[in-house]
Amino acid sequence: MPADLAESDEYRVLLLPATRRDAEAAGLLLRAAKLKCEICQDARALAQEIETAVGAVLLTDAAFQDPHIQDTLEALGRQPTWSDVPAVLLCRSDYRSDIADNALRLLRNVTVLERPSSSRTLLSSVKAALRARERQYQMR
């Protein structure tokens, strides 16, 4: 993805972190990689941001306990037919696998990573998601 496109809202990564510390760490990591990101406070805010422009979504298994996660899923469902917003989901290894299984069922384009994950793995997954999104934008 060319650097000038990375500044476009169409390529921004929307974050729904489990904690403020996670938000700070992920935001620093993505910005250091020259990726534009927006930290969302809850699933309702994430849904609103998805409606404007999005490159990829980064969230944790905790998002599925948010009372407004359905708003996010509905926003993803309202995307144009050409759009399949990629999501990267971080799941704790000691957590029940049904959350990851549920995410795989509900999200059409998701990569599930075990949490904690290495910075390299996380960045690689997010960049792959953005490359996939770039191909979608080229096809529209």
Side-chain angles (χ1 to χ4, degrees):
M1 169 176 37
D4 57 331
L5 289 181
E7 292 302 314
S8 166
D9 281 352
E10 287 187 332
Y11 292 96
R12 70 188 173 142
V13 179
L14 300 178
L15 303 171
L16 183 55
T19 66
R20 184 172 42 222
R21 185 173 159 205
D22 289 345
E24 292 168 0
L28 284 171
L29 179 68
L30 295 175
R31 288 183 188 105
K34 308 268 191 270
L35 299 175
K36 187 172 186 176
C37 65
E38 180 79 29
I39 297 169
C40 301
Q41 298 304 314
D42 57 26
R44 182 174 283 162
L46 176 60
Q48 290 171 344
E49 293 296 330
I50 288 170
E51 298 284 357
T52 59
V54 59
V57 174
L58 175 60
L59 63 161
T60 68
D61 47 11
F64 287 88
Q65 296 171 357
D66 186 304
H68 302 292
I69 191 63
Q70 192 60 37
D71 294 347
T72 296
L73 298 173
E74 289 171 4
L76 290 169
R78 284 191 296 274
Q79 292 289 299
T81 54
W82 60 265
S83 177
D84 191 12
V85 177
V88 177
L89 174 65
L90 297 167
C91 286
R92 292 188 315 253
S93 61
D94 62 339
Y95 211 61
R96 298 183 335 214
S97 65
D98 60 335
I99 289 188
D101 293 343
N102 194 31
L104 288 169
R105 187 176 51 79
L106 295 173
L107 301 171
R108 296 184 315 207
N109 186 1
V110 63
T111 300
V112 179
L113 301 176
E114 192 170 290
R115 183 171 63 138
S117 182
S118 74
S119 297
R120 182 178 297 153
T121 300
L122 180 59
L123 273 179
S124 175
S125 297
V126 170
K127 287 180 177 181
L130 290 172
R131 283 191 302 275
R133 188 64 168 164
E134 182 179 21
R135 286 189 295 276
Q136 291 176 32
Y137 285 137
Q138 290 169 350
M139 297 299 290
R140 71 176 160 179

